[in-house]
Amino acid sequence: QAFFCLLLCVPWGSSCPLSCQCTEQAGAKAVLCSSRHLEEIPKDIPKDAVFLKLDANSITRIPSNAFRHLSHLEELDLSRNAIEKIDRAAFKGVGAGLRTLDLSSNRIRSIPKEALLALSAKLRLANNPWHCECALQEVLWEARLDPNSVQDITCHTAPRQEYVGKPLLQVLDAGVNFCSVHQRTTDVAMFITMFGWFTMVIVYVICYVRHNREDTCKRVDYLKSLPSTQGHAE
């Protein structure tokens, strides 16, 4: 009876994933899941976790609300995985106390800015195959990046070949603005679309006028072909 009472008295938030190790560090709970061959983020991470290490695994995606119940989290390490996709609401619910988020050494090419800009944590994004674009530029300008890793955010692909292989910060310092390029591309696309619609309207009007003209000519010819009233009277 005492054993079952003990089980019932232990809060669910204090459980530990089977593939991880939970310890106390200076009175704060640390959940250590490094190098455990994980392919996804464990769903039973204790709610009172302060430090969470998921590095050196095979995680490929961070889904929405993956850490929604971890309001006490201060440090989150997702480095050295195979992460390719991060959902917009991946870090929704993480408390404002998150100080460090490590996403370095993954396979991330792009990331929704909404996923990171709401965080006040210091970000590590180095050593990913980044596609240099407007969204990444906005993250670099607006998010809190670890200054020691900024130089390792390199353009793996880019709109122009001359940027490939260069640190994104170096490209931006040279005066490149990916957002203005994106805006010009959008403006051109809108202009082409509007021109297409305008052309369709003009063609329709021309066809409509021609069709009415042909109908009018046919009616005139028909009326001319009718025997005149005067000739019929004679």
Side-chain angles (χ1 to χ4, degrees), residues 62 74-79 86 91 94-95 98-106 108 111-128 130 135-153:
I62 306 179
E74 294 183 9
E75 295 185 14
L76 175 56
D77 188 353
L78 288 159
S79 63
I86 299 177
F91 304 104
V94 174
L98 187 66
R99 295 178 297 155
T100 303
L101 172 59
D102 195 342
L103 292 168
S104 58
S105 300
N106 277 282
I108 307 171
I111 187 169
K113 62 180 181 179
E114 296 85 357
L116 299 180
L117 295 184
L119 301 176
S120 57
K122 185 181 294 183
L123 304 175
R124 295 172 185 161
L125 304 175
N127 301 316
N128 281 287
W130 291 107
L136 181 58
Q137 175 180 313
E138 290 179 340
V139 168
L140 190 65
W141 280 350
E142 301 181 35
R144 287 188 59 214
L145 297 178
D146 184 347
N148 297 323
S149 65
V150 172
Q151 287 295 335
D152 293 322
I153 301 177

Side-chain angles (χ1 to χ4, degrees), residues 19-21 31-38 52-57 77 79-81:
S19 55
C20 305
Q21 178 185 1
V31 182
L32 310 178
C33 310
S34 306
S35 304
R36 300 301 175 95
H37 306 290
L38 298 175
L52 176 57
K53 290 185 66 64
L54 291 163
D55 56 304
N57 282 292
D77 188 353
S79 63
R80 296 184 295 150
N81 273 278

Side-chain angles (χ1 to χ4, degrees), residues 66-85:
F67 309 100
R68 67 185 182 279
H69 62 293
L70 304 179
S71 57
H72 300 285
L73 203 59
E74 294 183 9
E75 295 185 14
L76 175 56
D77 188 353
L78 288 159
S79 63
R80 296 184 295 150
N81 273 278
I83 298 170
E84 296 181 351
K85 180 175 177 55

Side-chain angles (χ1 to χ4, degrees), residues 153-180:
I153 301 177
T154 304
C155 297
H156 183 73
T157 56
R160 296 177 61 174
Q161 186 64 29
E162 61 187 281
Y163 306 143
V164 175
K166 292 183 178 180
L168 177 58
L169 188 61
Q170 177 183 337
V171 175
L172 297 178
D173 285 343
V176 177
N177 189 336
F178 292 107
C179 293
S180 65

Side-chain angles (χ1 to χ4, degrees), residues 181-196:
V181 172
H182 175 74
Q183 184 63 43
R184 287 198 300 270
T185 303
T186 303
D187 291 344
V188 170
M190 290 181 62
F191 175 78
I192 293 174
T193 302
M194 293 176 64
F195 180 78

